[in-house]
Amino acid sequence: QVQLVESGGGLVQAGGSLRLSCAASGRTFSNYAMGWFRQAPGKEREIVAAITRSGSSTYYADSVKGRFTISRDNAKDTVYLQMNSLKPEDTAVYYCAAGRSLGVVVGGSNDYWGQGTQVTVSS
């Protein structure tokens, strides 16, 4: 089992920044690719960004390219999502997830999910 706990969400004005963290415990963190997803009210959950086990490769949804950056620190068992130039449409509950490969993570078939953290961007 892997337990994932997100933090760092909150209320921010449009144009502002937030940094989300996801701390993992349980099985070896570096064995898993990691991803960030989000779900806005009335919408389906969508992939935001993902990163390979080593951190050498990343994936971003078109809607966040150039604004968000995913990174990981395997020594701290933590994955991050730096969000800059936030827009009201970024408002959602953000979830981190762990999967066996970048492709699995992006596809949504993750082995483990966190409980989510709310991000609200005001206009």
Side-chain angles (χ1 to χ4, degrees):
Q1 287 284 341
V2 174
Q3 292 77 43
L4 302 172
V5 179
E6 301 97 334
S7 62
L11 174 64
V12 64
Q13 288 189 333
S17 297
L18 281 175
R19 188 195 196 201
L20 304 183
S21 299
C22 173
S25 61
R27 293 187 176 180
T28 305
F29 177 70
S30 58
N31 285 347
Y32 294 90
M34 300 295 296
W36 286 96
F37 292 74
R38 66 186 181 187
Q39 186 167 21
K43 295 188 177 181
E44 292 187 356
R45 186 163 55 190
E46 62 177 359
I47 180 74
V48 175
I51 190 166
T52 54
R53 289 175 288 181
S54 67
S56 60
S57 295
T58 57
Y59 168 91
Y60 294 95
D62 288 343
S63 58
V64 306
K65 280 181 182 176
R67 300 189 298 123
F68 291 11
T69 302
I70 188 171
S71 62
R72 66 188 296 161
D73 185 340
N74 286 346
K76 296 183 178 179
D77 293 350
T78 303
V79 62
Y80 305 97
L81 186 68
Q82 178 67 44
M83 305 186 295
N84 298 329
S85 303
L86 282 162
K87 305 175 181 180
E89 52 263 43
D90 294 318
T91 296
V93 178
Y94 283 71
Y95 301 88
C96 72
R100 302 186 182 195
S101 68
L102 189 68
V104 168
V105 170
V106 172
S109 300
N110 293 283
D111 294 325
Y112 304 102
W113 293 87
Q115 83 290 348
T117 185
Q118 176 70 47
V119 171
T120 302
V121 184
S122 63
S123 57

